Amino acid sequence: MSTSDIAERSSRMKTWHMALQSGAMLLLYIVPQMPRQNVWFPFILGLISLFFFLCVERNIRASVKEREERWFTAALLGFCGYLFVNALWARAPEVALGKAVFVLCLVLLTPFVARAFALQSRETLVRTALLALVGALISSIVTCIEFSTDHIIGRTLYTYVPGIRPGDKTLTVSVMENGKLVELPEAEFRKYQGNVIVDIASAALNRIHSFRLLLLWPILFLAIHYVRPKAGAALAAFLAFAAVYSIFAGESQTAQAALVLSALVFFVAQLWANAVHWFLLGAWCIAATLAIPLAMAPYALDLHKAEWISPSFRDRMIIWEFTGTQAMKSPILGIGIRSTRVLNKEFKKTQKKMPGHVTPMRLGLHSHNNFVQAWFELGAIGALLILAIGIGLLQTIKQLLPPVRPYAYATFVTACIIAAFGWGLWQTWLLSGYALATMMVAFINSYARKVTAPS
């Protein structure tokens, strides 16, 4: 093969790589409307990065950064290893092993993708950022239309394409029978097309809010630091408005708290990044080590009976109290990955609703607090490994470029609030969201180094 042929082949590979990566980034921001489907995006980015190292760089060793934080890597791999061991005594071992495999894949993929971003040329980073912004703009426009029209796009799609109707109480499908609306059960509502009435539950969209928030701060960085400052500023203002509008138009109090607190951290970090770092480090250590007594404190103060607090949050207090009590029975090793769901079914047979309680004393499908669930299912060993991982993440953020740090700290706070009040520890879409948020922070750091840094 001649020199010109080799050069042409290399150019084609680089072009194809850039197009594929840009397309994935575009889809990444168009599809936060479907968090569960985004489980595959970390793996798609991983495949794109693998192509880059094998076909463009032709050096897989380039995927390994020379100066890795070895103790942080050891904590991550140690945590993954413990998950495999912990799964042995889980109530559903096969499911538990599947979660352990999934977490290990994300742990291996995230630095791999981050390293691929770091090796991209300025042109590739600029083009990828542009397409990501286009995707974010489209997604935000769709979101604003949906929340201002009672989800007209979603209702139309679900009306005429019954096969995509999701379950899990996301929507209700009704038909007219003898002049009355009859709600169809989930087992049947995918059979009816056309003459149906579809209602989308706002509370069922909480996953969308969480996923959107995890990706908000990196995309705002790309908008604010866009190569055309005036266009970037206008785009950033619209993206921020769309996020605020949709989140406060929804019913997720967790997302609302995450948005407010992450914004506060972002603005404070602009002036006192070092102080924010130490504050978050202290807060993480407290949350990871004292999760059980902190979670049980509201119940001890009878706040679960306070009518001025929303029923959903009062329900969480009851769950935390019951989970904390059960966690004390196996404090070192825990009861096993994802065993909460299994035990919850067993306890349902005997659970009772106490006076003044909005719900019976129960575990729930999950603890609505990742720190509490970690203590319950993984025990002190797992909680301490999570403590080390958080410390390592904050140390990594501290080493990012100064313009990036406020966005990274805001993303970290967003993830922490969602973890502390929102979802279960092993929900794959959320674990993917954490990984994608980390990948995007790595991307904006590479972008800042090669595009916005003064020459």
Side-chain angles (χ1 to χ4, degrees), residues 17 20 50 71 85 101 109 114 129 148 170-171 211 225 267 287 314 319 322 356 370 378 444 453:
H17 163 74
L20 188 60
L50 181 63
W71 72 267
V85 175
V101 170
L109 279 174
S148 59
T170 299
L171 53 81
F211 208 101
H225 294 85
F267 288 115
R314 291 161 65 190
I319 291 174
F322 193 79
N370 291 181
L378 306 179
I444 65 174

Side-chain angles (χ1 to χ4, degrees), residues 12 32 50 62-64 71 78 109 116 125 155 160 198 211 289 293 306 354 368 370 372-373 422 426 447:
R12 287 200 305 268
L50 181 63
S63 63
V64 180
W71 72 267
L109 279 174
L125 291 171
R155 287 189 288 108
Y160 295 103
V198 176
F211 208 101
T289 56
M354 307 293 289
H368 289 284
N370 291 181
V372 171
Q373 190 171 353
W426 309 113
Y447 184 90

Side-chain angles (χ1 to χ4, degrees), residues 91-103:
R91 296 302 180 99
E94 292 183 359
V95 176
L97 283 172
K99 296 297 182 182
V101 170
F102 188 77
V103 172

Side-chain angles (χ1 to χ4, degrees), residues 18-226:
M18 181 178 65
L20 188 60
Q21 184 182 71
S22 300
M25 297 294 287
L26 176 61
L27 289 174
L28 175 67
Y29 284 99
I30 286 182
V31 195
Q33 325 289 358
M34 299 188 294
R36 286 180 169 174
Q37 287 71 20
N38 276 349
V39 165
W40 296 106
F41 260 98
F43 298 92
I44 292 174
L45 291 177
L47 287 175
I48 293 170
S49 301
L50 181 63
F51 172 83
F52 170 74
F53 287 117
L54 291 179
C55 299
V56 179
E57 287 288 298
R58 296 185 179 182
N59 180 14
I60 194 66
R61 292 183 179 180
S63 63
V64 180
K65 191 176 181 180
E66 294 180 359
R67 295 183 179 180
E68 294 282 5
E69 291 284 355
R70 293 185 178 180
W71 72 267
F72 182 36
T73 302
L76 285 168
L77 295 180
F79 177 71
C80 292
Y82 177 67
L83 292 185
F84 282 92
V85 175
N86 179 273
L88 298 176
W89 58 80
R91 296 302 180 99
E94 292 183 359
V95 176
L97 283 172
K99 296 297 182 182
V101 170
F102 188 77
V103 172
L104 176 62
C105 289
L106 293 182
V107 166
L108 295 176
L109 279 174
T110 301
F112 186 72
V113 173
R115 183 60 177 160
F117 288 151
L119 295 177
Q120 298 310 303
S121 66
R122 183 183 188 278
E123 292 74 20
T124 299
L125 291 171
V126 169
R127 178 173 174 78
T128 304
L130 173 61
L131 291 177
L133 287 169
V134 171
L137 178 62
I138 296 172
S139 177
S140 297
I141 291 173
V142 169
T143 298
C144 289
I145 292 173
E146 286 287 83
F147 277 92
S148 59
T149 60
D150 192 23
H151 314 294
I152 187 172
I153 298 175
R155 287 189 288 108
T156 302
L157 286 173
Y158 293 140
T159 297
Y160 295 103
V161 189
I164 66 172
R165 291 171 187 163
D168 195 25
K169 300 180 181 179
T170 299
L171 53 81
T172 59
V173 180
S174 305
V175 295
M176 292 295 297
E177 291 186 1
N178 300 322
K180 295 182 179 179
L181 273 179
V182 178
E183 184 178 325
L184 298 173
E186 183 180 334
E188 298 181 12
F189 67 37
R190 293 185 183 89
K191 301 176 183 177
Y192 290 80
Q193 183 175 356
N195 296 324
V196 298
I197 297 175
V198 176
D199 288 314
I200 299 176
S202 294
L205 303 174
N206 290 349
R207 292 185 187 89
I208 294 176
H209 296 315
S210 296
F211 208 101
R212 182 179 300 281
L213 271 176
L214 287 170
L215 304 176
L216 174 63
W217 293 103
I219 200 67
L220 284 179
F221 176 91
L222 294 178
I224 291 172
H225 294 85
Y226 183 52

